[in-house]
Amino acid sequence: MNTPKSVIDYEPYVMAITEQVEQHLCGLDELSTIFKQRPLSFNERSATERSLQVIVEAAIGCSKHLLKSKGKPVPSEARANIERTYELLGITNPPIRVMRGAIGMRNAIIHDYLNLDWEVIEDVLKEQKYYQIHQYIQHILHILMSGGRS
């Protein structure tokens, strides 16, 4: 039996995702500070990769929930989920190229880690570009909590 979308309570999901993302943002902030002072150790680089992966996965998960809440098909491909969400909501900030880049970075971390371009990750860390992904997540979570209203 399908539950009508109007009775789905997203609060537990939003609270859990918010907590996870905040923890990883704090960790990335610490790593960013360290990186500005000296090169990162192997474990610090691994922690950076993992935190970036978790934040991008959270963005993908939020997009899936939003599409479901609107009764839209949920693509199996991460990039398609983000793009459909942008189209549905008319999101302009952060620019879609930022989220496409984030998906690409996440795919490299997961699937192509032997060829990972650390200069890209260093730039994301140094410039704290991960906050653009956070901005996207917050926007989607706000819509989920408001019952689907943008």
Side-chain angles (χ1 to χ4, degrees):
M1 182 166 122
N2 288 340
T3 305
K5 61 183 175 183
S6 62
V7 296
I8 295 176
D9 180 12
Y10 285 103
E11 186 175 2
Y13 173 76
V14 169
M15 299 300 286
I17 286 293
T18 299
E19 181 180 354
Q20 281 295 306
V21 169
E22 293 295 330
Q23 288 174 348
H24 285 278
L25 287 172
C26 287
L28 286 167
D29 286 345
E30 288 178 32
L31 291 161
S32 178
T33 300
I34 293 167
F35 178 67
K36 291 173 185 173
Q37 298 168 2
R38 63 166 171 77
L40 297 180
S41 69
F42 172 81
N43 286 338
E44 291 163 340
R45 287 170 57 129
S46 293
T48 300
E49 291 173 21
R50 176 68 177 144
S51 288
L52 289 171
Q53 177 189 344
V54 168
I55 290 171
V56 176
E57 292 285 350
I60 295 164
C62 291
S63 293
K64 288 180 178 182
H65 281 286
L66 182 95
L67 291 171
K68 285 181 197 174
S69 77
K70 300 277 190 181
K72 302 294 181 186
V74 179
S76 59
E77 185 182 271
R79 182 175 166 148
N81 275 294
I82 298 291
E83 290 175 348
R84 291 235 175 107
T85 303
Y86 265 79
E87 291 169 14
L88 182 66
L89 300 177
I91 299 171
T92 58
N93 200 19
I96 194 165
R97 67 176 165 68
V98 168
M99 293 306 295
R100 285 178 179 148
I103 297 293
M105 180 184 60
R106 168 245 184 211
N107 289 346
I109 289 169
I110 294 171
H111 304 294
D112 201 20
Y113 51 88
L114 294 177
N115 295 313
L116 192 58
D117 185 352
W118 246 91
E119 288 181 11
V120 171
I121 293 179
E122 287 174 346
D123 183 57
V124 169
L125 187 62
K126 183 173 71 172
E127 302 299 325
Q128 296 181 313
K129 293 180 180 179
Y130 45 86
Y131 276 102
Q132 292 177 306
I133 303 165
H134 182 238
Q135 177 184 9
Y136 174 84
I137 293 168
Q138 286 184 307
H139 182 70
I140 302 305
L141 293 180
H142 175 74
I143 293 170
L144 285 172
M145 287 297 291
S146 66
R149 293 180 301 280
S150 317

